[in-house]
Amino acid sequence: MSDSLIEESILSRPTYGTLKIVPGLAHYFLADASGAECIIRDVQELPRDMMEKVHILYVPTPGEAALITSLYALGAKRFEHFPTIEEAVAKLGEWLSDAKMGSQLYLAGTEGLVGQGVAKGEECGLDHTAVQCEHRGSLARRVQCVHCKTMIEDVTTQPVKCPTCDLLLLVRDHYSRRLAAFQGVCINAEDPTEEIEIKEVFK
Amino acid sequence: MSASDHLIPVVVSNVVEVNPIIKRFEFKHVNGDELPAFSGGAHIVVEMLDDGTKRKNPYSLMSSPFERDQYAISVRRDDTGRGGSKFMHEQVRPGMQMKISAPVNLFSLDLRARKHLMIAGGIGITPFIAQMTQADKLGVPFELHYAARSVSQAAYMDSLADRFGDHVSCYCDDQGESVDLEVLLSNQPLGTHVYVCGPKGMIERVVETASSLGWPAAHVHFEHFLAPPVGEPFEVHLAKAGIDITVGAEQSLLEAVEASGTPINCMCRGGACGQCETVVVACDGDIMHNDHWLDEEQRAAKQRIMPCVSRFRGKRLELDL
Ligand code: FES
């Protein structure tokens, strides 16, 4: 069972499974600190000679080193870590641009990381059946302000204020796979003076 | 209603002997009209009136999808079959009028593909000729790997190499050449789709190799029409129509049903599309299923039959038709 805290919702709201290594020519992993344990759990089980096929990208939380050491110790063919999801996802794109059919992509961690990894995989020509996702850690959302198109990372509150256009946004369950983001829609368009309490809901 | 119920009257405009076992037939509309549009991989059903027997066989279109003034198919002669290919080879001449169905495509290119990898065995080359013409015009990269028994049997190889150059590789058994599927399928860029048409064993090898290398099933396409086998004649009761029919030795159950005037769906006439699936009302005997539509369990249950390729041996077969 996955340790994800996501509850069932509307259809476009993604749900995730548990990573399971399937036959493939190459196995690409991308995780953040909350998802690192999924990689360790799965890759540890692999026979030594399969390490040649394993490529790992990792986004640690600032200052953390223990998981970097454990991931490195797995002995993958390539292991790199980056301070931000954007950089790691860009590197994933570079790796996948040389990848062959038969490659598998495994994503583990927060929704922001998983969503951007899925979008990159698709952009590089991976079939969705060759991409697996496991949700771990915070439920913080990546939200697009539908009015000014700003991407707001790590949203934990409902509503959230758009840092660019200052509108107060209702964070919807409506998720765009292409943008790897939830949609944020003005909550008080009728009456902008209306006071709405901001609560932390996506922990 | 099936595609083959609305037949198009055509005249045979050309018959070309490609090699000792393969002939190409070209058709034009009797009125000179444009023929229906189609995409690479489509097939038509050709109706053959052979001395009282009406036979309908599916053949892949090999002409350009961008030219609609004529269609071309290639027919490999099979002397042990039901006689359709023999009829085409021996009886069909330029100027003759025939009827064909509108094209249907069960083997189209996946237009999301970043590259098309085509693998052909023998006469399985025909759908790829139209597909390559299409992929070439669309500017999507493609590669054809074509295996044949011998150089002399590798129909169209020279002209394809002329037209498509490096996109085409040929392998002849008698030269000791063969496709290394493992290597070929391990070296395709992400977003490639593979298509295979040829003998059953070849299709199975491609599907198995691709899946063992981790190719997603949605990127693997194959087409294998079965020829309805010949066998002993048998009786069938059609429950709705309330009639008994006899299926001749060289006739398919589908053809016998059609000959009786009973409506029945069909599309590929080769056990591949699932259109003709029919409920078995009663069965005392053995169904030789022959299709690759039903799964093992369904076959064992004897409650479904694919009339286009299946035969029967036993006391009584009653169908929901
Ligand atoms: S007509 Fe296609 S399976 Fe019978």
Side-chain angles (χ1 to χ4, degrees), chain B residues 17 24 70 258:
Chain B
E17 189 165 327
R24 181 171 73 244
Q70 64 166 27
E258 287 173 335

mmCIF file of all heavy atoms in Angstrom, chain B residues 17 24 70 258:
data_model
loop_
_atom_site.group_PDB
_atom_site.id
_atom_site.type_symbol
_atom_site.label_atom_id
_atom_site.label_comp_id
_atom_site.label_asym_id
_atom_site.label_seq_id
_atom_site.Cartn_x
_atom_site.Cartn_y
_atom_site.Cartn_z
ATOM 1 N N GLU B 17 2.310 -9.578 -63.388
ATOM 2 C CA GLU B 17 2.958 -10.691 -62.721
ATOM 3 C C GLU B 17 4.210 -10.164 -62.041
ATOM 4 O O GLU B 17 5.174 -9.778 -62.693
ATOM 5 C CB GLU B 17 3.295 -11.775 -63.746
ATOM 6 C CG GLU B 17 3.750 -13.019 -63.080
ATOM 7 C CD GLU B 17 3.752 -14.222 -64.025
ATOM 8 O OE1 GLU B 17 2.898 -14.299 -64.929
ATOM 9 O OE2 GLU B 17 4.641 -15.069 -63.831
ATOM 10 N N ARG B 24 -0.121 -8.556 -59.158
ATOM 11 C CA ARG B 24 -0.747 -7.313 -58.708
ATOM 12 C C ARG B 24 -1.978 -7.038 -59.578
ATOM 13 O O ARG B 24 -1.932 -7.206 -60.794
ATOM 14 C CB ARG B 24 0.231 -6.139 -58.819
ATOM 15 C CG ARG B 24 -0.397 -4.816 -58.336
ATOM 16 C CD ARG B 24 0.602 -3.676 -58.228
ATOM 17 N NE ARG B 24 1.003 -3.178 -59.533
ATOM 18 C CZ ARG B 24 2.234 -3.244 -60.007
ATOM 19 N NH1 ARG B 24 3.197 -3.781 -59.296
ATOM 20 N NH2 ARG B 24 2.517 -2.774 -61.202
ATOM 21 N N GLN B 70 -7.357 4.885 -58.844
ATOM 22 C CA GLN B 70 -7.315 3.428 -58.884
ATOM 23 C C GLN B 70 -6.784 2.862 -57.588
ATOM 24 O O GLN B 70 -6.123 3.534 -56.823
ATOM 25 C CB GLN B 70 -6.468 2.936 -60.052
ATOM 26 C CG GLN B 70 -5.003 3.316 -59.942
ATOM 27 C CD GLN B 70 -4.167 2.516 -60.939
ATOM 28 O OE1 GLN B 70 -4.670 2.102 -61.980
ATOM 29 N NE2 GLN B 70 -2.899 2.318 -60.627
ATOM 30 N N GLU B 258 -24.096 -15.751 -45.625
ATOM 31 C CA GLU B 258 -24.387 -14.685 -46.608
ATOM 32 C C GLU B 258 -25.170 -15.225 -47.796
ATOM 33 O O GLU B 258 -26.113 -14.589 -48.275
ATOM 34 C CB GLU B 258 -23.088 -14.035 -47.092
ATOM 35 C CG GLU B 258 -22.457 -13.135 -46.046
ATOM 36 C CD GLU B 258 -21.072 -12.623 -46.461
ATOM 37 O OE1 GLU B 258 -20.391 -13.289 -47.274
ATOM 38 O OE2 GLU B 258 -20.685 -11.547 -45.975
#
